[in-house]
Structures are given as C-alpha cells and as structure tokens.
C-alpha cells in the first residue's frame, strides 16, 4: 500500500496504548513489513511506568429529557481515553466535571490521554466540542458510558534491517493516538516507507524500525532488551507529524552536537532552507526522552512539521495530510541517513600540488573566473575556497561532513566532488 492509503486506513482506528484499535493498526503494519512483535503484559511496571489495561469504549451517550445530547462513539476521541464505565443521572454541574473540550477550536473534539499515564486519577468522562458544552442547559442528564478495561498485552513492533555494521540507527514512531492522522500515523507510514527503501539497498549501519505506544512501548522495549543489543544503538530519529502542509522542523538530540544532529542540519539547510530547528524538547516531546535516558544516552533527533493548529484534536485527520509532504519527509530521512551512511575520512595518494585543471584530472571548478559572463554567487566563492584547501583535508582524519560544514556546502555535492578525486585514484575513502 502507498503511504496515503495506509494512513487513511490506520488513522480511523480507535487507538490507545493497548486497544483493539491499536491491534488493527499493528495488523496493517505487519501486512507491509515483517515486524517482530514484542508483548508486555498489561499492568507490568517499570520505573513507575504501568502498562495500561486493554481499553476501549462500547457505548457513550448523554441524554436530557429523553433526547440524545451527545454520542461519544461518533469519534474515537469522544470518550476520554481510559475512561471508566458509568451509568446514572447527574446534574449539569456534576456532568461538567466530566467533560473535556478545546475552547480554541470550539467545533473540534480534543484528545484526552492523561489517565493512561496517571491511572490513579481515572474517572469517567467525555470529550466534546466546546460549542456543545457551552450551550448545555441546566437540569438532569442521563449518562451511559460503557468501557472495557481488560487484561492483555501491549505490543511493540520491531523490524531489524541488518547492515554491514551491527551499529544500529533507530527509527521510531508511535501508534496510540485514537483517530488521529498526523500525530502520529504520518510518522508510522513514513517509517514504513523509509524501511522499504532501506531494504532495497546495501547499508553501512543496521536499522531498527520501532512502532509502539508513546513512552510505554519504548520504555518496556528497552527495559526488556538484551544488554548487548542495547549497546549497538548508535543514533535515533523520532518521526512525527510529517504529513501536514508545514515546513520541516528539526529538534536536536540532548547534546545537540552528535553526528546525526550535524547530518540533519546539513541536509535540511541545503535542501529545505525554510526549515526550523531548536534544542532538545523545545519543539515537541516524544520518546526521545526514553532513548536519551541515563544508562542509554542514544543521541535522538526528532523530525516533524510541528507546530500545527489541528494538534491533539479530531481535526487531525486525513484531510490535513498531503501525499507530497509525506514523500518529502521520506526523502529528508533518507537524505540524513545517506550522510551517516557515507561520511568518512579521506586519505591522499599524492604529494604536492595537483594541477586540477589538467584534463587528465578535470577537477577544477572555474567558479570565480572574471572572464565568465555571469554573476558570482556565494556558492561559487564557497566552492573556490574549498578547492584551494581541499588537498589538505585528505589527511586520513577529516571527514566529508567536517569539510561540508567548514565550507557551508551541501554534503552530497562535496561527497560527489571527493568521489571524483577517488575516480582519478588521487585519494582513498576510509570507510570503517
Ligand atoms: Zn501527541
């Protein structure tokens, strides 16, 4: 299935950390790729995190004077996530204590997920449009919420794509936000598409695609992972909110200085000049805290198109998703991974100055020749400076990404230029 078709199927599901809706999303994902499924029993505890029960809503109505006021089953967000069952008559005052709404988007239904993470606060409740809440009249209301909270297992999907090295890059997205498309089914379908493309080529690093409920899925995955496996994790990318019509946003890793931060900065600067970037947790919060947690400290960046107006509401549906934005996101991930995959030091096989313009080398870029009738650009000047300094970078230590950064040039263009030196047998690329 292509990304948009898969997204349309997945985002309608009534997802939760553990729910039949999430099982359906997982079935669709497994239909695309041979994921391994790790299962963790509900109510398991680790570091204070408790796997929620297998939950779903069956019935959710509010009547007044025999008339249906609200049916919470009209949308997966209509019942507050992890709501208890309740049946009885309540006053308007009491009812209002059990209603959640979004004043900023009065016709949307908001996403309420607090109780999954704070089960001690569980109660019953509806999420409804503020426009409806605002017009509720005083009187007696008949409430019927029937939800199922059962034992079961939480699932973490895990696909390993082996590379030349056992060092592994994690691509992670979450599958627990009921009825929502951009957050984060867009990340799920982008991760699946990236995996399909990685599987078609030879890779230096190994990759692991992890699709799981936010925080719970990755916390229990790491906690139950063989110590040796965890040591192989080199970098991570959290993929989220990648289908809406917005510029790309790079959130850096905890240190902000790792090779994956630098690769992402270079790729986006030269391919998406309108992108924005910020420090760790300054754009959006997800499972990067899990991968970066002490004892693991896996540098994990996050790629998204945050912020967006429809976030955490029923407006986050397929109507705000654009196929070309999903595709552009896939290309950006592949571009960043390509830098990591090819970045290496270069060793020279010559001594002294090479006449780059000699046809037998043909490595001269006549960029700032005044006899050329064209405007000299900043890029021309950058290339000219690079050409003058390049031979000294072939020292067996300086890497392609270092050179691209020093000269504020696109990594791929620099890499292709260095490859021309290799074709002329002037250098060797040190890939280890
Ligand atoms: Zn979210």
């Amino acid at each position: 299935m292509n990304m948009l078709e898969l997204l349309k199927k997945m985002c309608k599901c009534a997802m939760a950390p553990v729910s039949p809706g999430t099982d359906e999303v997982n079935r669709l994902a497994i239909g695309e790729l041979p994921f391994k499924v790790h299962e963790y029993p509900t109510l398991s505890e680790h570091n204070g995190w408790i796997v929620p029960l297998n939950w779903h809503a069956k019935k959710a109505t509010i009547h007044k004077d025999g008339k249906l006021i609200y049916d919470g089953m009209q949308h997966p967000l209509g019942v507050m996530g992890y709501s208890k069952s309740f049946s009885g008559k309540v006053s308007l005052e009491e009812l209002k204590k059990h209603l959640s709404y979004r004043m900023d988007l009065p016709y949307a239904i908001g996403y309420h997920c607090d109780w999954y993470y704070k089960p001690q606060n569980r109660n019953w409740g509806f999420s409804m449009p503020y426009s409806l809440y605002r017009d509720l009249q005083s009187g007696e209301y008949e409430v019927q919420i029937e939800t199922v909270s059962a034992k079961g297992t939480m699932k973490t999907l895990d696909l390993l794509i082996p590379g030349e090295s056992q060092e592994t890059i994690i691509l992670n997205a979450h599958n627990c936000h009921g009825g929502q498309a951009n957050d984060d089914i867009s990340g799920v379908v982008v991760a699946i598409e990236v995996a399909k493309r990685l599987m078609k080529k030879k890779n230096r690093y190994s990759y692991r695609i992890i699709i799981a409920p936010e925080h719970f899925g990755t916390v229990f995955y790491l906690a139950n992972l063989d110590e040796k496996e965890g040591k192989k994790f080199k970098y991570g990318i959290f993929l989220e909110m990648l289908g809406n019509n917005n510029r790309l946003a790079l959130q850096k890793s905890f240190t902000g200085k790792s090779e994956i931060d630098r690769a992402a900065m270079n790729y986006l600067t030269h391919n998406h000049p309108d992108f924005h970037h910020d420090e760790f947790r300054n754009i959006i919060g997800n499972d990067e805290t899990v991968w970066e947690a002490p004892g693991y400290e896996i540098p994990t960046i996050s790629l998204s198109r945050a912020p967006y107006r429809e976030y955490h509401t029923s407006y986050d549906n397929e109507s705000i998703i654009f196929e070309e934005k999903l595709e552009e996101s896939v290309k950006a991930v592949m571009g960043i991974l390509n830098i990591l995959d090819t970045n290496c030091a270069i060793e020279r096989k010559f001594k002294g100055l090479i006449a780059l313009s000699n046809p037998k080398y043909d490595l001269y870029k006549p960029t700032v020749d005044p006899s050329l009738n064209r405007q000299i650009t900043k890029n021309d000047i950058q290339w000219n400076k690079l050409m003058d300094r390049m031979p000294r970078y072939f020292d067996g230590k300086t890497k392609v990404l270092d050179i691209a950064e020093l000269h504020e040039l696109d990594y791929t263009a620099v890499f292709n230029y260095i490859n021309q030196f290799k074709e002329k047998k002037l250098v060797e690329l040190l890939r280890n």
Side-chain angles (χ1 to χ4, degrees), residues 111 113 174 176-177 180 183-184 214 240-241 284-286 308 311-312 316:
Y111 175 45
C113 57
H174 65 62
C176 54
H177 287 36
Q180 288 155 79
D183 180 10
D184 180 28
E214 186 173 2
E240 179 175 68
M241 309 170 178
I284 195 78
N286 281 298
Y308 65 107
Y311 173 67
H312 277 193
D316 184 347

